[in-house]
């Protein structure tokens, strides 16, 4: 009959034999980053339990410990700390989604383009020179050979058409 091997030596041999299997097990179920820590914890629980010498199949016992670790981990994630904050209605006002804003902006841009295209040619030209080219009324008047008051008249007409188009749409 052979002499019993010490607990430390048997645990070390068991650890070396089962560690790769546990790393694969945890790697598949919890991710590669968490696998080493979970493997270490599983072996620590096995050693603390003292079941290595008593268990008929220590590999199955270790797998059960590993499964329980994953269950505990899932429970901790699920029942994590809940933070409650008071509602400040002025600061925490509900805002619309970015997608909604983009869709409405695209619709409004399309409406403006249609409205500008429908303007009389001189009014459209004055409006585009002012709004797109960022020219001053006096510069527009000099370039077109009209008075500043006429530029102002065409701008009022163009803005009124834009306002009416938006009001009719919404």
């Amino acid at each position: 009959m052979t002499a019993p091997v010490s607990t430390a030596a048997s645990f070390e041999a068991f650890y070396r034999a089962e560690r790769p299997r546990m790393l694969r097990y945890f790697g598949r179920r919890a991710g590669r980053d968490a696998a080493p820590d979970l493997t270490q914890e599983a072996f620590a629980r096995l050693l603390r339990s003292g079941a290595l010498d008593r268990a008929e199949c220590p590999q199955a016992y270790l797998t059960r410990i590993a499964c329980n670790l994953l269950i505990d981990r899932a429970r901790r994630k699920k029942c994590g700390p809940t933070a409650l904050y008071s509602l400040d209605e002025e600061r925490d006002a509900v805002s619309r989604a970015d997608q909604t804003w983009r869709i409405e902006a695209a619709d409004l841009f399309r409406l403006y383009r249609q409205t500008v295209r429908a303007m009389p040619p001189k009014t459209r030209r004055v409006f585009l020179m002012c709004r797109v080219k960022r020219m001053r009324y006096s510069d527009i008047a000099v370039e077109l050979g009209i008075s500043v008051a006429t530029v102002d008249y065409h701008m009022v007409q163009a803005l009124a058409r834009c306002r009416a188009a938006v009001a009719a749409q919404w």
Side-chain angles (χ1 to χ4, degrees):
M1 205 158 153
T2 60
V5 180
S6 71
T7 305
S10 65
F11 178 77
E12 185 176 345
F14 182 73
Y15 177 80
R16 289 186 191 280
E18 292 296 315
R19 183 174 182 273
R21 182 177 71 88
M22 285 288 104
L23 284 171
R24 284 191 309 275
Y25 179 84
F26 285 123
R28 284 190 307 268
R29 288 166 178 79
R32 294 179 118 190
D33 294 338
D37 291 337
L38 290 169
T39 300
Q40 185 70 26
E41 179 63 25
F43 279 106
R45 286 186 182 189
L46 177 67
L47 187 61
R48 277 194 308 262
S49 72
L52 183 61
D53 296 330
R54 294 184 318 230
E56 288 181 29
C57 184
Q59 291 87 357
Y61 191 80
L62 181 64
T63 303
R64 184 72 242 177
I65 290 172
C67 183
N68 289 343
L69 272 173
L70 291 174
I71 292 169
D72 291 345
R73 184 173 184 254
R75 284 182 186 149
R76 277 193 307 272
K77 280 186 177 180
K78 183 178 177 185
C79 299
T82 303
L84 299 175
Y85 299 101
S86 62
L87 176 66
D88 182 2
E89 295 206 17
E90 290 179 19
R91 188 178 61 87
D92 299 330
V94 176
S95 61
R96 297 197 298 191
D98 287 344
Q99 184 178 12
T100 305
W101 285 108
R102 283 193 299 268
I103 291 170
E104 286 184 7
D107 289 343
L108 191 59
F109 182 70
R110 196 175 311 109
L111 179 65
Y112 275 126
R113 286 181 63 187
Q114 289 172 354
T115 305
V116 170
R117 283 189 193 126
M119 290 179 187
K122 195 168 220 175
T123 303
R124 178 176 52 242
R125 188 168 182 199
V126 169
F127 181 78
L128 292 175
M129 289 172 86
C130 181
R131 294 298 170 130
V132 176
K133 293 183 179 179
R134 303 274 187 212
M135 294 175 70
R136 294 181 300 177
Y137 283 15
S138 58
D139 296 335
I140 296 170
V142 169
E143 188 168 321
L144 296 179
I146 56 176
S147 69
V148 174
T150 306
V151 171
D152 186 46
Y153 169 80
H154 286 294
M155 282 301 297
V156 168
Q157 294 298 313
L159 292 174
R161 285 175 178 262
C162 290
R163 223 177 351 259
V166 170
Q169 184 70 24
W170 280 280

